[in-house]
Every structure is written in C-alpha cells, then in structure tokens.
Amino acid sequence: MASTDRKQNVVSALCKHLSMLSLDPNSYTSNLDKDIKSLCIDIFNSTPSGPSITKDNELMKWVDFASNFPVDSGASFKALSELNEDLSKKSVISGDGFKILEADIVVFATVHSSVISLSNSDRNKLPHLLRWMDYIQTKGDVGETFQKVLLEKVPFVPPASKGVKKAEMESDAKKTEPETKQASSSDVDSKKKNNSGVKKAAADNQTSAEKKLPEKVDEKDKDISISLLKLQIGHIKKAYKHPSADSLLVEEIDVGEAKCRQVVSGLAKFCSPEQLTNRLVVLVTNMKPSKLRDVASEGMVLCASNEDHTVVEPLIAPEGAKVGECVSFSGHDGKPEDVLNPKKKQFDKIAVNLFTDDKGIATFKGIPFMTSAGPCTSSIPRATIK
C-alpha cells in the first residue's frame, strides 16, 4: 500500500493542478486511509466534468499505475525503469505535451519521492524519466511542496557558434602567451594589467572571429537569413491520414487566407490526427508547392526533434497568438522571399541554425521565434527544428 506521504503528494499536486476549481487538499487528507485511485476519483468527482474524467481509460490506466506503485526500493526502481522505457517513445505520459494533463501530474507526484532518493548512478540509468520530470516540474503547476529534481544538463552550443568558439580559443592562446612571458611574478600591479589585457584581447578576438565567420560561407550564400522565410501562425482545422503513406498526415491549416492550406507532414509516427486538430502551429508559407505521394502540400509545419529523432512535435505557438501573424526575429527585418528556391537549398541552410534552448524556446542562432503573445516553444529542450 502507498505511504501516507505519497498519498498527500498526489492530493496536493492534483488539487494544485486543478486550482482554477478552488479545490482544497485538506478536504481529502482526512481520507488518507483510502488508496491513491480512490482519492483521485474523489477529486475528479469534485469537478464539473468528473463523470467523463473517470471514464477516460488512458487516464485511469495511469491512476492504477500510481495506486499500485511499489513502496519497496528495489521494486520501485524496476517500475521506474519501465516508465523510463515508455517515455523513450514519447515526450509526456498522456496527451501531446501542449497541455499537461492529470495523468502526468498523478504519476509525477507518485514517483517523485522514489526518484529523489535515488543515487546519481541510478538516476543516470533513467534519462527519459529525468527529462520528463524536469519538464513537469518546470512547466506544470504542482505547487512548492516538491523538492526540485536536479537534472544535469549538457550546455548546448549552437552549430553556428562552434567555429567562433574555436577561433576565440586559438586566438586567445596566441595573444596570452607573449603577455604571460612578460609578466613578473613579483609585480601584482603588472599581473592585473596583463589580466585586463587578456580580457580585452578575448573580447577583441570574439569580435574578430564573428566578423571572419561569414568568410567561410560560400559567396553566393551570404544572403541566407531567417528573414527569407515567411513563418506564420496557422490553425489546424482538420488532420487525417495520408491515403497512400503510413508515415504521413495531411492537415488543412488556416493562416488567415481565403481558404485553408493543405499541408503534408511526416508526423504519423509521433502524433495522431486528433492530437493535431485545433492546434496552433508555426508554418513556413513560402515553400514551393509540391506533391508528397500524389497529395499536394502548400507549406511545412516546423517541428522540434530530440537527438535520436524518437520524439518529434510541432512547435507550440503561445496561447493568444493570432492566426496568420508572422513570426519575427529581433534584428532580422528583411523581406521574405515570395517563394523559396529549392535549388538553392535556402531552407536547409537556415535550418542548421534553428534549435530550442535549455528552456525549450524556439530560436534562430539564439534569437527567439516571437509572436504578439510571446515566444514559440517546445517541450523538448536543446532540440533541432525542421
């Protein structure tokens, strides 16, 4: 049977998640002799949509998981390993990650104490579970009673900056060497001056490296810029399976034009048509129209992908973004191409600089995808965007 602390965690987190309904967790803590499933059902039945919630088979499957989660540390680690394996195939436990659902909250609150008590070596065996927990504790509203699960994140260096970093290091090394030889170990003031000189040299070298970087780009590609893309917020009105390709979906997307655009996306393995319907997405609207397996496509939905391409999701446009509005990038105010030239591979050259940062914000060379309602995001940090 679950410990009292675990039950309190679930009640507290679920009531906080449903805080708009003004649920008081103290109303349920007097019934902690019940199992987690019974407590969850009591809370769900306190909401206007309670009867329909408890009929959600997917949700109740995870409530059963939480209710039966073992107390023994050895058995609980096995259950955590199975959950880690399940999360290797998807970004969240239930739904598509655009909105955190009750199943994720219940499971998070259930396993939290077990994860907190794990050794670092055991945590390293559960990367997908840790990634998910970091997302829930960052994006979900579970209250302040949960100790933060610390996740060691590898600093992400965008592809465009790698050459700059290398140039800085090489240049710093050359400039620092003669200054070091001139420094006197007995002269403190001299050391301070030299250190100051090194810092100035490093700053100069960075500016120099940044100026030199475009020289490595082919002359005819100097005009490649994010401003060449026309990125608009689109509303998926309808989505369905491609008639002759299992890996493709077809979407009808409103971007504020006279009629919806038909777009073909390779998302069938990652999203269902139902999960895409009524979603706001970021659409490249100046791609040259093409056909994918005999179905016309008039754009491209931008998606974030993890490193091994096992988790892929459309970028999340912020709530309140206007259908049809263009995504903007600070400092890049050029006019988009009427139609991108596929022979010049313009999109591919721009895409190498598209990624999400540590917080999941979509960026071009670190500059956020901005709308009138805020930046576009993803549940996948440090992801590539294409």
Side-chain angles (χ1 to χ4, degrees):
M1 187 166 177
S3 68
T4 300
D5 288 344
R6 185 181 293 172
K7 294 176 186 177
Q8 287 178 328
N9 282 346
V10 172
V11 169
S12 172
L14 201 49
C15 288
K16 182 67 176 177
H17 178 69
L18 300 169
S19 58
M20 291 183 66
L21 301 173
S22 301
L23 297 179
D24 181 7
N26 294 324
S27 302
Y28 306 95
T29 52
S30 60
N31 297 321
L32 292 180
D33 55 322
K34 294 183 177 183
D35 61 15
I36 286 178
K37 182 175 183 178
S38 299
L39 288 168
C40 288
I41 291 176
D42 287 347
I43 295 173
F44 294 148
N45 284 335
S46 301
T47 69
S49 55
S52 62
I53 292 178
T54 54
K55 291 179 182 177
D56 184 335
N57 293 332
E58 178 69 11
L59 168 59
M60 296 312 294
K61 179 188 79 172
W62 287 108
V63 169
D64 283 333
F65 170 88
S67 195
N68 297 319
F69 191 79
V71 176
D72 176 74
S73 59
S76 66
F77 184 76
K78 181 181 178 183
L80 290 174
S81 298
E82 292 171 354
L83 182 57
N84 177 72
E85 178 62 26
D86 188 65
L87 285 166
S88 70
K89 305 178 184 69
K90 55 188 181 183
S91 57
V92 289
I93 279 175
S94 181
D96 50 25
F98 292 102
K99 179 181 179 182
I100 295 176
L101 302 181
E102 288 76 15
D104 285 87
I105 298 298
V106 171
V107 175
F108 175 89
T110 299
V111 306
H112 179 272
S113 58
S114 296
V115 174
I116 282 291
S117 63
L118 290 176
S119 64
N120 288 334
S121 60
D122 281 341
R123 286 194 190 189
N124 290 337
K125 297 173 184 176
L126 306 170
H128 306 294
L129 175 66
L130 268 293
R131 180 265 307 160
W132 166 76
M133 293 200 73
D134 184 60
Y135 175 60
I136 299 302
Q137 68 186 7
T138 302
K139 300 290 186 180
D141 193 357
V142 293
E144 299 177 356
T145 59
F146 292 90
Q147 180 183 343
K148 197 173 183 66
V149 178
L150 298 179
L151 177 64
E152 186 176 347
K153 298 179 180 179
V154 179
F156 179 76
V157 180
S161 67
K162 288 180 180 177
V164 175
K165 295 283 184 184
K166 184 177 179 182
E168 286 179 21
M169 292 172 66
E170 292 177 350
S171 199
D172 283 352
K174 290 178 181 178
K175 290 209 169 192
T176 304
E177 184 178 356
E179 291 183 16
T180 303
K181 289 180 179 178
Q182 294 170 9
S184 170
S185 58
S186 60
D187 191 343
V188 176
D189 292 336
S190 178
K191 279 187 179 180
K192 288 182 179 179
K193 289 179 181 180
N194 283 338
N195 287 338
S196 172
V198 171
K199 289 179 181 178
K200 184 176 184 304
D204 292 342
N205 289 334
Q206 180 174 357
T207 304
S208 175
E210 289 172 349
K211 288 179 179 178
K212 290 179 181 179
L213 186 61
E215 294 176 6
K216 298 178 182 179
V217 180
D218 196 295
E219 192 71 20
K220 63 183 179 182
D221 293 333
K222 278 189 174 182
D223 294 331
I224 294 297
S225 165
I226 189 66
S227 62
L228 296 181
L229 300 185
K230 187 171 185 180
L231 305 180
Q232 292 180 267
I233 301 301
H235 178 211
I236 299 180
K237 293 287 190 177
K238 182 179 179 182
Y240 51 91
K241 293 182 179 180
H242 190 288
S244 59
D246 292 339
S247 64
L248 301 177
L249 294 179
V250 184
E251 303 99 30
E252 294 179 9
I253 305 179
D254 177 15
V255 287
E257 298 171 339
K259 66 174 185 176
C260 289
R261 291 193 177 217
Q262 179 173 279
V263 177
V264 180
S265 304
L267 288 169
K269 294 180 181 178
F270 309 100
C271 307
S272 68
E274 292 75 23
Q275 289 172 330
L276 288 178
T277 302
N278 288 325
R279 298 295 183 186
L280 291 181
V281 293
V282 179
L283 189 70
V284 185
T285 55
N286 61 342
M287 304 286 285
K288 184 176 181 179
S290 60
K291 282 191 175 184
L292 295 176
R293 296 291 291 271
D294 297 324
V295 175
S297 183
E298 303 171 294
M300 182 171 68
V301 176
L302 285 186
C303 297
S305 169
N306 66 349
E307 188 174 355
D308 57 5
H309 204 65
T310 55
V311 182
V312 177
E313 67 176 23
L315 291 182
I316 303 170
E319 186 176 351
K322 299 174 184 177
V323 172
E325 73 169 287
C326 289
V327 176
S328 63
F329 298 83
S330 178
H332 295 268
D333 303 320
K335 182 181 177 182
E337 294 275 89
D338 292 331
V339 179
L340 295 175
N341 186 340
K343 292 183 178 179
K344 292 183 178 180
K345 299 185 181 298
Q346 292 166 302
F347 176 79
D348 292 338
K349 292 169 182 175
I350 294 171
V352 298
N353 295 306
L354 302 179
F355 53 89
T356 62
D357 64 13
D358 286 343
K359 296 181 180 179
I361 296 174
T363 71
F364 167 75
K365 292 186 177 181
I367 302 170
F369 284 53
M370 288 300 299
T371 72
S372 59
C376 299
T377 60
S378 169
S379 68
I380 313 172
R382 302 179 300 282
T384 55
I385 297 174
K386 199 167 183 180

